[in-house]
Amino acid sequence: QVQLEESGGGLVQAGGSLRLSCAASGRTFSIAAMGWFRQAPGKERELVARITWSTGSTAYATSILGRFTISGDNAKNMVALQMNSLKPEDSAVYYCAARRTEAPGSPFDYWGQGTQVTVAS
């Protein structure tokens, strides 16, 4: 099993920045990719960004392109999400996730508890 712990959420004014961090523990050798999801009230959970460990390749949701950046340290089993130019519609619970395969579109196997991000207008 893999355990994921997020940190860094909070309240920020529109246009501001936040940095989310996620630390993985347990059977981390099984992780092939990590990512960040978010879920706002009444909406489905959506993939925000993901990074693949072997190649370092990243992918982003179109709604956050140019504003958010995912980064990771495979050796330290950590992933971060730098969020700039935040908008009220970015408000959501953000979840760190990990999966055992690199195959695009594969489901994520492990999830953190989530951290709340609130962007005030």
Side-chain angles (χ1 to χ4, degrees):
Q1 286 289 355
V2 171
Q3 295 77 43
L4 302 173
E5 184 173 359
E6 306 101 334
S7 61
L11 173 64
V12 65
Q13 294 293 318
S17 298
L18 279 176
R19 183 177 178 86
L20 305 181
S21 296
C22 175
S25 60
R27 298 172 64 87
T28 57
F29 60 85
S30 67
I31 297 175
M34 295 187 71
W36 290 94
F37 288 74
R38 68 184 182 186
Q39 187 168 22
K43 295 187 177 181
E44 293 188 356
R45 186 168 55 190
E46 63 171 344
L47 176 63
V48 175
R50 68 105 179 103
I51 184 167
T52 300
W53 283 146
S54 64
T55 62
S57 67
T58 58
Y60 296 93
T62 55
S63 60
I64 56 85
L65 275 174
R67 299 189 297 121
F68 292 10
T69 302
I70 189 170
S71 60
D73 186 329
N74 191 359
K76 296 182 179 180
N77 299 307
M78 296 186 70
V79 66
L81 185 69
Q82 178 66 41
M83 305 184 294
N84 299 328
S85 302
L86 282 161
K87 304 175 181 180
E89 51 263 42
D90 294 318
S91 297
V93 177
Y94 283 70
Y95 297 91
C96 177
R99 68 185 184 198
R100 298 189 296 265
T101 176
E102 293 184 357
S106 297
F108 282 73
D109 304 291
Y110 308 106
W111 296 86
Q113 293 295 314
T115 184
Q116 177 70 48
V117 171
T118 303
V119 184
S121 57

